[in-house]
Amino acid sequence: MKSNEYLREIEHLNLSIKAETVKALLHLGYGHFGGSLSISETLACLYGHYLHHDPANPKMADRDYLVLSKGHAGPALYATLALRGFIELETLKNINANGTLLPSHADMNKTAGVDMTTGSLGQGISCAMGIAMGTDTNVFAIVGDGELQEGQCWEAFQFAAHHQLNNLVVFVDYNKRQLDGYLDEIQKPFDLREKFQAFGFESVQVNGQDINQICGAIEQGLASKDKPTAIILDTEKGQGFPSIIEMSSNHHLRLDDDLRSAILKDLDVIEQRLESLK
């Protein structure tokens, strides 16, 4: 069990990521709200404690790596990088603008702190395997649950287990939705924890909104001696914003006045919670 102060600091980062992600997308007027918000707790745990990084030297040789395989959640990663000092907070207003350094999907050639260009679903996981083979540091990868319908993912997982890549931790954002609807209606994932175990991974499922559980799972993964680890994050698409969670389709939103107003009300609650943590 982590100390209250430790959890408080990570929760502050989590809520800040949510707030800055949403403010940037509200400024833009559209974007990937749902799948960005469902990974903020995990990003907060990683960048708040477990990911060895240096904003002043993003390419340092002994850094840990993060591969955001679900590259459309780039806005949440950009908010995290800004809050950690890799980029200026003000630049978040330029997400997806012409000539931006913050494109809709993560791009390592444009954004300081992005370790791999992603967005073509399924391919980021293979890249993470290659990085894990080529480094002695830790490699963390975040994959979407809909993305796991790509066969390339499971080829990569089998490869990782065969090569005993114990420096690899894969997070599955199990928010139960994908672009076209609910997973169970499109292609049932069945038991993801058991599937990863069958492919040779250490595997654990946790509440993806519970920072203490996420931290415990990360520590379990980092302690693995001869296997990669999969952490199934039981999340909600739009996590922390009821107005987005309740939408039948919340993968990519274009804002009208009513939706903008509802999201702003939820944002006000997040900012009040942030204020209480100061």
Side-chain angles (χ1 to χ4, degrees), residues 56-268:
N57 184 16
K59 299 292 187 183
M60 69 177 186
D62 64 341
R63 73 189 187 277
D64 290 335
Y65 291 79
L66 174 71
V67 178
L68 182 64
S69 192
K70 45 173 286 179
H72 55 276
L77 178 56
Y78 299 150
T80 306
L81 294 175
L83 289 162
R84 298 303 289 175
F86 285 89
I87 58 178
E88 295 293 330
L89 201 60
E90 189 69 16
T91 63
L92 293 178
K93 294 181 179 178
N94 299 323
I95 285 179
N96 213 29
N98 288 336
T100 185
L101 296 178
L102 305 177
S104 178
H105 294 66
D107 189 330
M108 64 186 292
N109 296 309
K110 293 182 179 293
T111 312
V114 173
D115 289 316
M116 180 52 61
T117 301
T118 54
S120 184
L121 296 181
Q123 294 184 5
I125 289 298
S126 291
C127 294
M129 306 300 120
I131 296 170
M133 282 203 74
T135 183
D136 292 327
T137 61
N138 297 313
V139 179
F140 302 96
I142 303 177
V143 61
D145 49 5
E147 183 179 3
L148 291 181
Q149 293 163 11
E150 294 280 358
Q152 182 175 353
C153 292
W154 298 98
E155 293 174 12
F157 297 145
Q158 186 171 344
F159 175 93
H162 172 76
H163 288 280
Q164 298 182 320
L165 299 181
N166 65 324
N167 62 332
L168 175 71
V169 177
V170 175
F171 298 91
V172 179
D173 181 17
Y174 184 38
N175 60 41
K176 298 104 185 151
R177 303 198 207 184
Q178 59 189 92
L179 174 63
D180 296 323
Y182 288 86
L183 260 66
D184 282 350
E185 297 173 355
I186 296 169
Q187 186 167 290
K188 290 182 179 180
F190 298 98
D191 191 316
L192 289 172
R193 187 183 62 80
E194 289 185 355
K195 285 168 74 172
F196 272 95
Q197 284 183 339
F199 270 73
F201 273 61
E202 296 284 357
S203 182
V204 60
Q205 184 161 337
V206 299
N207 181 346
Q209 299 184 62
D210 187 319
I211 285 170
N212 195 52
Q213 286 190 29
I214 296 170
C215 288
I218 293 172
E219 292 180 3
Q220 180 178 334
L222 295 178
S224 177
K225 300 299 184 184
D226 58 1
K227 293 181 180 181
T229 297
I231 300 174
I232 317 302
L233 302 163
D234 190 1
T235 60
E236 292 182 299
K237 204 159 189 172
Q239 209 152 271
F241 282 73
S243 60
I244 297 175
I245 294 171
E246 292 164 5
M247 297 180 69
S248 58
S249 179
N250 64 6
H251 182 82
H252 184 280
L253 304 180
R254 287 192 174 272
L255 304 178
D256 58 22
D257 289 344
D258 289 342
L259 181 54
R260 180 182 292 273
S261 177
I263 291 174
L264 281 169
K265 289 180 181 177
D266 291 342
L267 178 59
D268 185 58

Side-chain angles (χ1 to χ4, degrees), residues 25-53:
L25 293 177
L26 286 171
H27 183 268
L28 178 63
Y30 62 88
H32 292 99
F33 285 81
S36 293
L37 290 167
S38 56
I39 63 168
S40 65
E41 286 83 358
T42 297
L43 290 171
C45 290
L46 289 174
Y47 283 87
H49 186 74
Y50 295 100
L51 188 85
H52 179 52
H53 64 283

